[in-house]
Amino acid sequence: MAGEFKLSAILRGHEEDVRAVAFPSRARLISASRDSTVREWTLKSPSPPLYDDTIALQASDWINALAISPPSKQHPEGLIAAGGKETIVYVKQPGTLSDQDPYRILPRHAHNVSCLAFSADGSKLISGGWDSQVFVWDVEAGDVIAELAGHTMTVWGILVYDEKYVFTACADKMIRMFDINGKALRTIKGHTDVPRCFCKIPEGHWSGAAFASAGNDEVIRLWSLDGAAMGELHGHEAYIYSIAILSNGDIVSSGEDRTVRVFRDMACIQTITHPAISIWSVASCPETGDIVSGASDKTIRIFTRDSERFADAETTKAFEEGNKMYAIPAESLSQDAPFAEKDLPGPEALQTQFGERDGQQLFVRELDGSVTAHLWASARGQWDLIGTVVQGEGSGSAKKEYNGKQYDYVFDIDIEEGKPPLKLPYNLTESSWEAARKFLESNELPMTYYEQVANWIADNTRGARIGQGASAAPASSGTAAPARDPWGSENRYRPGDAASGSGGRKLPQRSFITIVEGNPANAINLIIDKAKATNDLSEEDVKSLQGLSAQLQNKDDPHPSTAQITSLLKIVTSWPPKGRVPAVGVLAVCAVSQSFLTATSSGNGTILDTLTSAGILKAKQETPNNVVHGIRTLVNIFKTDAGRLIADGTFDTTLQAVRNFASEPESPAQAKALASLYLNYAVLLTSSAPADSSSTREARAEVLMRDIAFMLESDSPHAAEADALYRALAALGTLITLGGDFRQQMKMGISGTLHVAGMKPGAQRQDTRELMAEIRDELR
């Protein structure tokens, strides 16, 4: 019987959380971090193990998804795939440095890439993201060859089971099984909260299962290939982030409870505590059976059962002391382990009490009055010290209680009118990012609010110091002056656009909106890399676009030159559709500038003519993100006077060009862009900008309102996305302020549309309900 895992090595180098790890061989380890890097670690000394690291990929924003392909004839060392907030999947060859071009750059996702997995032969790569999309890529061609459709929320995990089957883990609590060519085969229900991760289980395994899954419900669930539940593995006391299978059949897992746990024969046989709260990822080495973990303390740790690879005494002692000295906030303790100091046993309990299972907690009141925490190690039959329990950093009368725990803050989150606000508890010891994620997941809210909520938490606790308590925080953390708090003195957060929650009337909308998203500098790099490989652009064009990369840092007005826009238009009109996406995305960002209009309207046509003749606004094309960026371009021209004149002059042809997407938007991003276009046209028609008679305006408004109604009454889940729904309703509400006669003429149709829209999930958001109430008031 194999012995216990013990520390083998500690690897430091990352500057933020280590979000993903892979351990393809004893000589090589790969890690990805929130510090925007992927690092490759190479074994330099085997006993004790020592590693050197190099940066294999330097991105511009955090990376949280990582996959390693198996060796092949073409790629003897395999390939490294990574993705994250940039929305791009990078494929690198091992051994290449960060300044060397990636082997492949795969742009298709509209939001954060959250999971990646290679097929067994390495020829295909599957990616999933916050945009609810899952793509199957041909790695060599760099093309999407299939889409695994049907997800309505964030996709957190992917398992490529074999050459035929793929499983996905979605935030709607469902596991889905697909044919790798895109055919949906079955939906597996069983998780009571969000599933996050998978591992394949070999034939003849003690569990009898084909694969395992785990997630926010703190349970590892075992499944047959046809989705039958085969058993459960219990032990974790918080979210489970990662699971892996060892070469001997043991299952290893990591989670939010500071632990890596090892399971065999349906029981936890070892609990490895870390001096970090979040153990984001765990992986096993197929050659040695060693395991590696990546954690929120920026550290990678390797554990082994082989005494030849044990860490030296000094490293082991430092690790053990780090665990023993770890400060555990009392408010973070599991509710399954109630904490009342006066009822705790003394230190003699460590000798007289025996644990019932590996990883069981025991709290002891020491002779000096302090409280220590211990975990039962079943293999050694003893309690291991894992830290000292301390009161929260903001302890005292200012602490707030929620669900039996004490917190520095308990924020109110208004979601649905007539119902109590949701509560977002937060301690100063926590990461605002993790607090935001837990809140969104536990309340089944879209992850598109992740960064917004995290930044809001940070802004509203800025200035609070560890040990101060919430009462010592500055005014902005709970007592903000009404003039500076758009939500009023209650300091409540309401998801959605900040502009939509001004506290006053929302109608009519008076401001034009823009959509400037993504990383245009990266898009320029993609274009240049492609152009160098294919010679599809002249040296002058490449040089011109290289200069634009720096200008795009100013997203309010990048001021593109006519030469730069001309270079982009060459790509948009002549490159294959899949290669146009970065260029159309850059055009959308440039469209906010006056110089963009000069460059695109100097001839006989307009930017609309260019986009339509190039097929950018064509429905059901191979690359639907072209449509998203194309509509965003039309949205952004409203920022300038010249752009609004063009939008006014192309009113009929613009609406005709995008009308097919009103009833059948192809993605949430597309729906949001289309609703933004409708809103800008509504603002234009109700302002004094166009020199139209009232009858002409009302005729146009009737056409626009009909298209908005198509969208609001659509059965597509994409049209029900909360931000798209709000903007479409704001457009409709703005139009009815044109005048009493027009309002009466449209009243009956609008009432029916409001009824249908009000049944959509996104309509339950507080600001949307307030907006709908305002529209109904206008109709009276």
Side-chain angles (χ1 to χ4, degrees):
M1 180 177 177
E4 278 197 310
F5 280 102
K6 294 185 179 181
L7 183 70
S8 177
I10 294 178
L11 311 183
R12 293 189 175 92
H14 282 295
E15 298 176 0
E16 295 290 345
D17 297 38
V18 180
R19 295 302 302 264
V21 290
F23 206 170
S25 71
R26 70 171 68 211
R28 191 163 61 96
L29 188 152
I30 315 296
S31 59
S33 169
R34 192 183 281 276
D35 67 6
S36 308
T37 69
V38 172
R39 292 177 184 257
E40 193 169 354
W41 305 79
T42 305
L43 183 67
K44 293 301 180 184
S45 173
S47 185
L50 296 175
Y51 290 79
D52 283 347
D53 72 299
T54 56
I55 297 177
L57 175 66
Q58 177 69 65
S60 64
D61 220 317
W62 77 61
I63 299 174
N64 43 235
L66 179 70
I68 309 298
S69 75
S72 65
K73 184 177 181 179
Q74 185 170 2
H75 303 289
E77 298 296 321
L79 291 169
I80 302 169
K85 191 181 176 185
E86 286 185 359
T87 75
I88 294 169
V89 178
Y90 295 96
V91 181
K92 292 273 293 189
Q93 292 177 314
T96 58
L97 300 178
S98 59
D99 59 355
Q100 294 178 264
D101 290 341
Y103 183 70
R104 292 288 181 268
I105 299 176
L106 309 177
R108 186 69 178 265
H109 283 279
H111 218 303
N112 181 48
V113 179
S114 51
C115 49
L116 293 165
F118 277 100
S119 61
D121 63 1
S123 65
K124 299 179 181 66
L125 176 66
I126 294 84
S127 63
W130 289 7
D131 56 4
S132 309
Q133 295 177 300
V134 179
F135 299 118
V136 181
W137 301 85
D138 181 309
V139 175
E140 295 306 315
D143 294 335
V144 171
I145 56 176
E147 182 172 357
L148 310 186
H151 306 90
T152 59
M153 302 177 74
T154 295
V155 178
W156 283 115
I158 294 171
L159 171 66
V160 182
Y161 185 81
D162 56 21
E163 69 278 3
K164 289 180 59 179
Y165 300 129
V166 178
F167 292 91
T168 61
C170 183
D172 62 5
K173 305 179 185 178
M174 302 296 182
I175 294 171
R176 291 174 172 84
M177 182 181 185
F178 294 87
D179 178 289
I180 199 166
N181 295 315
K183 181 180 179 181
L185 300 177
R186 62 172 53 91
T187 300
I188 301 172
K189 301 178 181 179
H191 278 281
T192 59
D193 208 331
V194 178
R196 295 181 157 274
C197 51
F198 296 106
C199 71
K200 181 179 177 179
I201 297 176
E203 291 186 17
H205 192 260
W206 45 261
S207 67
F211 70 97
S213 63
N216 293 5
D217 55 8
E218 306 172 12
V219 178
I220 299 173
R221 300 180 186 274
L222 304 167
W223 307 95
S224 68
L225 193 57
D226 61 3
M230 302 294 289
E232 299 176 357
L233 303 179
H234 294 265
H236 280 283
E237 297 176 345
Y239 291 178
I240 301 172
Y241 293 131
S242 180
I243 53 177
I245 189 79
L246 303 189
S247 53
N248 71 342
D250 290 351
I251 294 174
V252 62
S253 58
S254 67
E256 183 77 0
D257 55 4
R258 293 180 56 198
T259 71
V260 166
R261 297 181 188 246
V262 184
F263 294 85
R264 182 186 300 157
D265 295 330
M266 305 304 292
C268 178
I269 62 170
Q270 186 178 359
T271 302
I272 306 172
T273 304
H274 289 53
I277 188 64
S278 303
I279 317 304
W280 293 116
S281 182
V282 66
S284 68
C285 176
E287 293 180 3
T288 63
D290 292 353
I291 57 178
V292 61
S293 65
S296 56
D297 64 350
K298 315 173 189 178
T299 303
I300 299 164
R301 296 176 176 88
I302 301 173
F303 300 89
T304 185
R305 286 168 166 158
D306 188 337
S307 60
E308 292 294 318
R309 293 192 296 279
F310 287 168
D312 59 42
E314 183 179 353
T315 303
T316 300
K317 182 179 179 181
F319 172 66
E320 293 174 348
E321 289 299 316
N323 274 327
K324 293 176 181 178
M325 297 175 65
Y326 192 84
I328 305 170
E331 64 272 11
S332 72
L333 298 178
S334 168
Q335 296 197 45
D336 295 330
F339 182 74
E341 289 189 30
K342 62 183 179 64
D343 298 327
L344 294 178
E348 68 281 357
L350 299 174
Q351 307 300 323
T352 60
Q353 293 189 23
F354 295 89
E356 298 177 357
R357 56 181 174 80
D358 195 274
Q360 180 180 338
Q361 290 183 342
L362 175 67
F363 298 99
V364 170
R365 185 177 181 83
E366 302 289 351
L367 298 179
D368 62 1
S370 64
V371 176
T372 54
H374 306 258
L375 283 188
W376 179 251
S378 58
R380 286 175 280 115
Q382 69 180 47
W383 295 99
D384 288 340
L385 176 64
I386 62 166
T388 300
V389 178
V390 297
Q391 294 299 319
E393 304 295 354
S395 58
S397 59
K399 298 288 283 187
K400 299 173 177 61
E401 183 172 325
Y402 177 67
N403 280 350
K405 294 183 180 182
Q406 297 293 314
Y407 293 93
D408 295 320
Y409 298 86
V410 179
F411 294 113
D412 284 334
I413 310 294
D414 283 326
I415 296 294
E416 186 172 353
E417 183 179 12
K419 291 187 177 181
L422 301 176
K423 300 294 183 181
L424 193 164
Y426 176 71
N427 278 305
L428 294 172
T429 54
E430 291 183 89
S431 158
S432 61
W433 294 95
E434 290 316 299
R437 179 184 55 76
K438 291 175 185 176
F439 169 76
L440 294 174
E441 290 179 350
S442 62
N443 291 285
E444 298 184 353
L445 296 173
M447 286 301 295
T448 48
Y449 299 133
Y450 181 46
E451 187 169 4
Q452 195 173 351
V453 175
N455 289 336
W456 185 87
I457 293 172
D459 288 344
N460 281 276
T461 56
R462 183 172 291 130
R465 295 289 182 266
I466 291 177
Q468 269 186 333
S471 61
S476 63
S477 65
T479 57
R484 299 194 61 190
D485 181 1
W487 302 114
S489 59
E490 293 177 312
N491 198 40
R492 291 184 178 180
Y493 171 85
R494 296 173 175 88
D497 297 324
S500 69
S502 61
R505 287 186 62 80
K506 298 174 172 59
L507 299 176
Q509 292 280 310
R510 295 298 190 195
S511 299
F512 297 101
I513 60 176
T514 59
I515 306 178
V516 181
E517 297 180 0
N519 190 327
N522 262 355
I524 292 290
N525 292 335
L526 289 172
I527 293 168
I528 293 173
D529 289 344
K530 178 74 171 178
K532 288 179 178 178
T534 60
N535 294 318
D536 285 339
L537 288 180
S538 67
E539 290 184 9
E540 291 76 12
D541 287 328
V542 170
K543 186 176 180 180
S544 176
L545 292 177
Q546 286 173 330
L548 180 59
S549 183
Q551 295 165 228
L552 289 168
Q553 299 301 314
N554 180 6
K555 293 186 178 181
D556 287 334
D557 186 1
H559 199 73
S561 67
T562 297
Q564 289 167 338
I565 296 300
T566 300
S567 298
L568 289 171
L569 292 178
K570 287 181 184 178
I571 301 170
V572 170
T573 57
S574 64
W575 281 20
K578 65 183 180 182
R580 301 178 186 181
V581 176
V584 187
V586 174
L587 273 184
V589 178
C590 292
V592 300
S593 297
Q594 178 76 30
S595 59
F596 172 87
L597 278 307
T598 302
T600 57
S601 305
S602 56
N604 295 326
T606 65
I607 184 59
L608 176 65
D609 298 318
T610 302
L611 294 175
T612 52
S613 63
I616 298 300
L617 300 177
K618 181 181 177 182
K620 301 186 185 304
Q621 59 178 285
E622 180 186 1
T623 52
N625 278 348
N626 276 334
V627 177
V628 175
H629 295 312
I631 298 176
R632 286 176 177 175
T633 302
L634 300 176
V635 169
N636 290 343
I637 66 173
F638 281 83
K639 184 174 182 182
T640 62
D641 290 339
R644 291 192 285 276
L645 286 174
I646 291 173
D648 181 44
T650 60
F651 175 87
D652 292 320
T653 49
T654 296
L655 291 189
Q656 181 178 354
V658 300
R659 186 161 288 138
N660 287 337
F661 306 115
S663 56
E664 294 186 55
E666 297 169 335
S667 70
Q670 193 183 94
K672 181 178 176 180
L674 184 58
S676 301
L677 180 65
Y678 290 158
L679 179 55
N680 278 352
Y681 265 123
V683 173
L684 185 69
L685 288 173
T686 54
S687 71
S688 57
D692 292 332
S693 66
S694 60
S695 60
T696 301
R697 289 194 189 198
E698 290 184 3
R700 285 186 163 192
E702 185 175 350
V703 172
L704 179 58
M705 190 168 288
R706 184 171 63 246
D707 286 355
I708 295 170
F710 287 154
M711 185 174 186
L712 290 174
E713 296 175 15
S714 169
D715 293 331
S716 168
H718 302 317
E721 193 272 335
D723 283 343
L725 187 65
Y726 184 93
R727 294 182 186 198
L729 286 166
L732 183 148
T734 297
L735 288 175
I736 63 175
T737 65
L738 270 174
D741 291 342
F742 178 75
R743 188 162 47 245
Q744 286 301 119
Q745 177 186 344
M746 306 302 298
K747 181 176 181 178
M748 183 172 296
I750 293 174
S751 297
T753 298
L754 285 179
H755 176 75
V756 175
M759 303 296 289
K760 300 180 184 293
Q764 304 312 307
R765 210 171 73 180
Q766 177 70 12
D767 57 350
T768 305
R769 294 179 68 88
E770 291 173 357
L771 177 61
M772 293 180 70
E774 237 181 271
I775 295 172
R776 291 189 178 98
D777 286 343
E778 289 284 344
L779 294 175
R780 288 174 183 157

